[in-house]
């Protein structure tokens, strides 16, 4: 997850899930890092989500880590980060999700999921879910990272998504 897909200075390749209006928020009081973040608003009561499809290539048996920061606008709800493993022919195989964590109106909370790519997997989709929202309710997501534990994850465009110690501390990926 690199560039705007990670930093959310634009929405990049992120798309809205069902029941979700996904917009770019530039109100700095709601931003974790940088100048913008994603705003997920519930169209009706229910879950909201944002996703990236075909994010990166993966190697079965390797362990990957996804981090995302989430925040509530008015009401804290349970949230999760999700890795969706797929085959080379784009067939869904399996998903791994973080523990459910309640976001807060007081500031961002960080969600993380670490999982091993299953046999037959060749790529991963990622999602951020906020559960049981009221109609019109908004939540924010910022600074998403996905990395192979122990080395860099290579994107389909051939660029390496290197996560340094400084980037981890500040919540930012290097943009190569």
């Amino acid at each position: 997850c690199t560039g705007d897909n990670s930093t959310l200075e634009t929405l990049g390749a992120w798309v809205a899930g069902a029941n979700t209006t996904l917009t770019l928020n530039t109100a700095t009081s709601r931003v974790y890092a940088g100048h913008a973040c994603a705003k997920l608003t519930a169209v009706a009561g229910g879950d909201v989500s944002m996703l990236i499809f075909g994010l990166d290539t993966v190697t079965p048996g390797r362990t990957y880590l996804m981090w995302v920061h989430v925040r509530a606008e008015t009401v804290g709800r349970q949230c999760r980060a999700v890795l969706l493993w797929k085959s080379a022919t784009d067939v869904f195989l399996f998903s791994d999700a973080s523990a459910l964590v309640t976001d807060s109106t007081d500031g961002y909370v960080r969600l993380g999921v670490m999982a091993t790519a299953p046999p037959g997997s060749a790529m991963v989709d990622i999602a951020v879910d906020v559960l049981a929202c009221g109609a019109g309710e908004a939540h924010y997501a910022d600074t998403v990272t996905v990395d192979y534990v122990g080395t860099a994850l290579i994107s389909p465009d051939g660029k390496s998504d290197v996560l340094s110690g400084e980037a981890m501390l500040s919540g930012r990926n290097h943009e190569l």
Side-chain angles (χ1 to χ4, degrees), residues 147-164:
D147 209 37
Y148 163 54
V149 178
T151 193
L153 183 65
I154 304 301
S155 302
D157 63 5
K159 293 183 179 177
S160 176
D161 183 19
V162 178
L163 189 65
S164 76

Side-chain angles (χ1 to χ4, degrees), residues 43-55:
V43 175
D47 301 345
V48 296
S49 62
M50 63 184 217
L51 307 97
I52 291 182
F53 298 102
L55 175 70

Side-chain angles (χ1 to χ4, degrees), residues 48-110:
V48 296
S49 62
M50 63 184 217
L51 307 97
I52 291 182
F53 298 102
L55 175 70
D56 284 308
T57 56
V58 297
T59 301
R62 285 189 175 172
T63 300
Y64 296 87
L65 174 64
M66 175 185 172
W67 291 110
V68 61
H69 296 80
V70 293
R71 178 183 183 150
E73 184 171 80
T74 57
V75 178
R77 301 286 182 194
Q78 290 187 317
C79 305
R80 65 182 169 213
V82 185
L83 296 167
L84 301 128
W85 308 105
K86 296 170 100 177
S87 72
T89 57
D90 205 31
V91 174
F92 172 77
L93 301 172
F94 188 75
S95 66
D96 286 294
S98 67
L100 293 174
V101 175
T102 301
D103 62 358
S104 170
T105 59
D106 294 330
Y108 275 88
V109 297
R110 185 166 71 169

